[in-house]
Amino acid sequence: MRLNLSSRTIAIILSLLVATALGILAWLGPSLPLQQGALAAGITIAACFLLLYLMFEALIFQEINNIYEGLEHIKRKEFRRMSNKFLFRPEPLKRMRDEILDMAQRKQQEIDELKRLQVLRREFLADVSHELKTPIFAAQGFVHTILEDDDIDEFTRKRFLQKAASSLDALDTLVQDLVSISQLEKGVVRMRRQNFDLVQLVHDIFEQLELKAARRHVQLALSPPDFPAGGLHVIADRNRIRQVLINLIDNAIKYGRENGHVTVALSESGKSIRVSVQDDGEGIPKQHHNRIFERFYRIDKSRTRESREAGGSGLGLAISKHIVEAHKSSIRVQSEPGQGTALEFKLPKPRARVNL
């Protein structure tokens, strides 16, 4: 039950109570022995203290409860716990101040995080619109040229249609990658773990990327070159890990040195298999290590042009990061300017069967 009393009313009540207690003590004082008088004085002082304490508590927390009601949309439950905790405790105002300062700090951190996410969202939308415009405008240009020029020869017409089709294929790849990364971030994509040979998978990817590597005179190598007949088996989603390795090896080919080497190193590490994709390119400065897995992030404009010319969507590393994290692992970057780049992650080995 809350007392809706003003501070002036409470002051009058306090004055009357104290005056009454002191008046009773003064009236009884001369007729009491010394010991009983001292006891009565002590009881009176204690009663006055208790009355004053309770009245001040009621006054303070009446105002605090009004504040709580005004701030109900922020954190009503926390304020209730705070009010109950302060009743009949020493230094309630100091405790309240500490709690409010702590809450204000948390809210400020939330605001800062929301501002950061808002900036990232604006950058993402700007990047997406730019990446979508590039293939759309290219395809539009080639198609409109064919439609508006009746004198164009068959060879040029076919070449322009091929370029338009290539731009639309790049657009399709970008859209599919956007859908994939959205599903991965929401956690709706389930990893279908199975036992498969990682060595054989790497060889299959080398065959798929052989022509692309040959255009830049890049040699693809597996380290160590000789594995036992059984290969190296892991438990993971084979198609998703294939996607990760294609993205990493493709990046190593594009950004590595011409006439260079791209090496996929496989090694056992306890209960896991360590996978490392290494190139001998320019390397990545340390300040970019954590950001290369962001969507559409490019270290410099030259890489943006190279990636666009090679048909990259700018989402390969971001998708790879999410897939690896869904396998309870993470991609580590080891790179220094002028010393190449190595991206590595781990996959679990199958459990050994115990024959009884």
Side-chain angles (χ1 to χ4, degrees):
M1 180 178 178
R2 185 191 305 173
L3 297 175
N4 294 320
L5 301 176
S6 66
S7 58
R8 180 178 298 175
T9 303
I10 292 176
I12 294 172
I13 294 173
L14 286 175
S15 301
L16 292 174
L17 290 173
V18 172
T20 302
L22 293 176
I24 293 172
L25 180 61
W27 178 60
L28 296 175
S31 61
L32 290 177
L34 179 61
Q35 185 176 2
Q36 292 180 359
L39 179 61
I43 294 174
T44 304
I45 292 173
C48 290
F49 171 78
L50 184 60
L51 288 172
L52 288 170
Y53 184 79
L54 290 176
M55 295 304 287
F56 274 117
E57 288 288 317
L59 176 62
I60 292 171
F61 280 99
Q62 176 184 333
E63 298 300 326
I64 290 176
N65 286 330
N66 292 334
I67 297 174
Y68 294 163
E69 290 180 357
L71 298 174
E72 180 180 359
H73 64 284
I74 299 178
K75 220 170 185 180
R76 185 177 181 86
K77 292 182 180 179
E78 181 174 345
F79 275 112
R80 281 180 176 177
R81 290 196 301 269
M82 185 170 61
S83 180
N84 294 333
K85 184 173 70 173
F86 292 150
L87 283 174
F88 306 107
R89 296 285 185 88
E91 300 182 349
L93 292 179
K94 182 177 183 300
R95 289 172 178 267
M96 184 185 68
R97 184 198 64 186
D98 294 340
E99 288 285 341
I100 291 178
L101 289 177
D102 182 65
M103 190 194 69
Q105 184 178 6
R106 291 198 303 271
K107 292 301 178 184
Q108 186 60 48
Q109 290 174 350
E110 293 176 6
I111 292 172
D112 293 340
E113 179 65 14
L114 288 174
K115 289 181 178 179
R116 187 186 70 85
L117 292 176
Q118 186 177 14
V119 171
L120 291 177
R121 185 183 66 177
R122 286 200 300 264
E123 292 178 353
F124 173 68
L125 291 175
D127 289 335
V128 168
S129 62
H130 179 73
E131 296 290 337
L132 289 174
K133 285 178 182 178
T134 301
I136 290 174
F137 286 169
Q140 280 181 331
F142 291 123
V143 171
H144 283 299
T145 300
I146 294 172
L147 292 175
E148 294 170 2
D149 190 353
D150 296 332
D151 298 330
I152 192 170
D153 59 89
E154 188 63 26
F155 175 78
T156 304
R157 183 190 302 271
K158 185 176 181 180
R159 186 164 61 88
F160 279 13
L161 287 174
Q162 288 175 341
K163 288 182 176 294
S166 177
S167 297
L168 293 175
D169 288 341
L171 178 62
D172 179 68
T173 299
L174 174 59
V175 172
Q176 292 297 327
D177 284 348
L178 285 171
V179 172
S180 296
I181 198 169
S182 176
Q183 292 176 339
L184 288 167
E185 288 179 343
K186 291 179 181 178
V188 299
V189 178
R190 293 185 177 180
M191 300 295 117
R192 299 179 180 179
R193 290 173 172 80
Q194 62 185 105
N195 187 334
F196 66 92
D197 181 10
L198 194 57
V199 175
Q200 184 60 48
L201 177 62
V202 173
H203 284 303
D204 293 344
I205 295 172
F206 280 175
E207 291 181 5
Q208 178 179 344
L209 299 177
E210 184 177 5
L211 290 178
K212 182 173 289 189
R215 293 192 193 102
R216 303 195 78 238
H217 307 287
V218 173
Q219 294 184 4
L220 303 178
L222 180 62
S223 176
D226 299 323
F227 282 91
L232 282 177
H233 284 255
V234 296
I235 297 293
D237 188 319
R238 189 179 189 277
N239 290 332
R240 293 295 180 179
I241 296 303
R242 178 188 181 89
Q243 186 178 4
V244 171
L245 288 174
I246 288 176
N247 286 334
L248 298 186
I249 297 171
D250 182 68
N251 270 359
I253 294 172
K254 285 190 293 188
Y255 301 130
R257 184 168 51 86
E258 286 196 43
N259 301 305
H261 298 79
V262 171
T263 303
V264 177
L266 305 178
S267 60
E268 297 190 38
S269 176
K271 297 181 180 181
S272 305
I273 300 296
R274 180 184 287 111
V275 184
S276 178
V277 179
Q278 307 165 4
D279 66 54
D280 53 2
E282 298 179 359
I284 301 173
K286 191 171 183 179
Q287 65 267 25
H288 297 287
H289 284 190
N290 293 329
R291 299 205 62 190
I292 61 174
F293 299 103
E294 295 178 8
R295 294 168 291 189
F296 301 115
Y297 184 77
R298 300 308 202 295
I299 295 175
D300 52 43
K301 294 182 180 180
S302 63
R303 286 201 166 197
T304 303
R305 290 193 299 269
E306 290 174 11
S307 179
R308 189 174 294 121
E309 291 170 359
S313 67
L315 296 170
L317 287 180
I319 292 174
S320 299
K321 174 179 178 288
H322 284 290
I323 293 175
V324 170
E325 288 179 348
H327 285 81
K328 310 300 180 184
S329 184
S330 60
I331 301 182
R332 295 178 54 193
V333 183
Q334 294 182 352
S335 182
E336 294 289 341
Q339 298 182 12
T341 302
L343 300 176
E344 65 177 44
F345 59 95
K346 293 181 179 180
L347 294 174
K349 295 191 296 186
R351 293 181 178 178
R353 294 183 179 180
V354 179
N355 296 323
L356 301 177

